[in-house]
Amino acid sequence: MSPKDIDWKSLDFNYRETDYSYVSMYKDGKWDDGELTKDHTVTISECSGVLQYSQSCFEGLKAYTTEDGRIVCFRPDMNAKRMHDSCLRLEMPPFPEDRFVDAVEKVVKANKDWVPPYGSGATLYIRPYMFGFNPVIGVKPADEYMFRILVTPVGPYFKGGMKPVEVTIPDFDRAAPHGTGGIKAGLNYAMSLHPIMEAHRNGFNENMYLDPATRTKVEETGGANIIFIKDNGKTLVTPKSDSILPSITRRSICYIAENILGMKVEHREVFFREVAEGEFDEMGLCGTAAVISPVGQINDHGNIIHIKAGMEEMGPATRKLYDTLTGIQMGRLPAPEGWIYEIK
């Protein structure tokens, strides 16, 4: 499919092949220079480290067309840092952070025709990823790695857009205590596939995981951090745990709440009983793919917990956060220093 044939406003959140990807190889203790490629396939050994021991990590960010026609990315340096941290935890050689940002710029620029137009509601999703490449039969890290970036135009992550979603409490844990929940490792998402399919089969949009040690505290969903609003829109609360992925979107929302909207921000342990007892007025799921999706109710094994904002529309404080964040990303509002990276 050519970019000119796409109905941008009808895009779903699925992969579509574009013109170029980016690839770099780590071998003999160093990364090569990297290059753009039109080859969107990967050929590896049947004994490759990623196939045997799931040694892989990834990132997700987006490119946007702003109101004045520029193509920009949102805080790619933070994605570079988070992938660096993921690599260290998985005994993988980090791809240099400055080269990460440069590679993002190169691949977006090469696919500029695939960046959806301003106002379409679509974006160019950018997926950097890295994996163990060479054959590994003993339980140990690989010696060679491939770093790639693919890009694909996407629509909203949740089909309902801004309509509140319903989440459920699963009987599964997202991550182990002192495990890999705080990094963006592929293995974290593999274990979430069965629970999310079970949720979908039962009519729910997502799972809301509780802490694996006590199952009394809110952590995150399978693909997004969680935010809460209380005190009639005056306070933003985000759950704190070592096994929660440090979402760039969530950290940006916290900055916006405190420094632009004048809200109080609490980053702390959130007990599930607080949610069940109606302490919060609004609830949302936040991440690169979803931005912010409002939650209207939680199903706890048949017990329905209604969020005060309801199932009809996004709550007013969440809407202000969403409008401010997307306004910054799309160039409608001034951005804090370093948040917007222009692709020239």
Side-chain angles (χ1 to χ4, degrees):
M1 179 180 287
S2 167
K4 67 178 181 295
D5 298 324
I6 293 178
D7 180 1
W8 298 108
K9 292 187 177 182
S10 299
L11 275 181
D12 53 13
F13 200 90
N14 280 304
Y15 172 74
R16 292 167 181 82
E17 187 176 290
T18 53
D19 293 330
Y20 291 93
S21 293
Y22 180 91
V23 60
S24 181
M25 290 296 304
Y26 181 88
K27 188 174 182 179
D28 297 327
K30 61 182 180 180
W31 288 101
D32 67 16
D33 292 337
E35 62 180 359
L36 294 170
T37 177
K38 287 193 172 186
D39 186 355
H40 303 290
T41 61
V42 177
T43 302
I44 56 177
S45 165
E46 63 181 350
C47 198
S48 174
V50 65
L51 299 180
Q52 302 308 312
Y53 303 118
S54 300
Q55 199 181 15
S56 69
C57 62
F58 69 97
E59 277 298 321
L61 62 158
K62 292 177 177 178
Y64 311 82
T65 301
T66 63
E67 190 173 29
D68 60 3
R70 295 175 298 139
I71 295 176
V72 303
C73 290
F74 184 69
R75 310 189 77 177
D77 57 316
M78 295 192 73
N79 293 97
K81 176 63 170 63
R82 190 168 64 182
M83 178 170 257
H84 176 277
D85 294 343
S86 296
C87 288
L88 292 181
R89 178 63 175 81
L90 295 172
E91 288 294 328
M92 301 167 70
F95 194 71
E97 293 179 41
D98 57 339
R99 287 192 54 194
F100 178 104
V101 175
D102 181 66
V104 166
E105 179 172 10
K106 282 184 169 67
V107 75
V108 172
K109 188 174 182 179
N111 290 285
K112 65 181 186 302
D113 292 341
W114 294 89
V115 182
Y118 174 79
S120 66
T123 55
L124 186 72
Y125 188 76
I126 305 164
R127 170 55 59 84
Y129 61 103
M130 187 193 305
F131 57 89
F133 183 81
N134 65 291
V136 179
I137 195 65
V139 181
K140 63 178 182 178
D143 299 311
E144 299 175 7
Y145 296 86
M146 180 179 284
F147 170 82
R148 294 182 70 97
I149 304 178
L150 66 85
V151 299
T152 185
V154 297
Y157 188 71
F158 289 111
K159 293 180 181 178
M162 294 299 99
K163 187 173 178 59
V165 300
E166 182 178 7
V167 300
T168 185
I169 306 295
D171 291 323
F172 299 92
D173 293 325
R174 178 187 160 270
H178 313 297
T180 57
I183 64 169
K184 207 165 178 66
L187 55 91
N188 292 340
Y189 294 79
M191 61 69 54
S192 74
L193 295 179
H194 175 64
I196 191 59
M197 293 308 297
E198 283 288 281
H200 290 169
R201 283 188 280 266
N202 287 298
F204 305 115
N205 300 94
E206 253 289 10
N207 287 305
M208 186 175 86
Y209 290 96
L210 303 180
D211 74 289
T214 70
R215 295 187 64 80
T216 62
K217 292 171 277 191
V218 175
E219 293 231 319
E220 62 175 312
T221 68
N225 278 193
I226 297 172
I227 62 172
F228 296 99
I229 305 293
K230 67 175 188 176
D231 301 333
N232 295 316
K234 296 178 182 178
T235 304
L236 170 70
V237 181
T238 61
K240 182 178 182 180
S241 166
D242 289 339
S243 58
I244 292 177
L245 185 74
S247 165
I248 296 164
T249 302
R250 185 255 298 163
R251 284 177 281 176
S252 301
I253 289 170
C254 288
Y255 180 94
I256 287 169
E258 184 172 15
N259 295 281
I260 297 178
L261 300 182
M263 299 171 67
K264 179 182 177 183
V265 174
E266 298 177 1
H267 184 50
R268 60 170 174 82
E269 291 183 339
V270 176
F271 287 89
F272 182 57
R273 61 173 169 73
E274 296 178 72
V275 185
E277 293 171 0
E279 292 293 319
F280 301 110
D281 304 318
E282 302 172 35
M283 175 180 172
L285 313 181
C286 67
T288 297
V291 187
I292 306 177
S293 291
V295 175
Q297 61 188 35
I298 303 166
N299 188 304
D300 180 16
H301 300 84
N303 177 39
I304 307 300
I305 300 168
H306 298 278
I307 305 301
K308 293 176 184 176
M311 287 292 290
E312 293 303 314
E313 61 183 6
M314 181 180 281
T318 306
R319 169 59 74 176
K320 285 182 182 178
L321 290 166
Y322 176 86
D323 288 346
T324 305
L325 177 58
T326 56
I328 290 170
Q329 291 172 334
M330 296 293 180
R332 296 188 296 267
L333 296 173
E337 185 176 356
W339 279 28
I340 299 301
Y341 187 91
E342 185 173 355
I343 307 298
K344 298 181 178 179

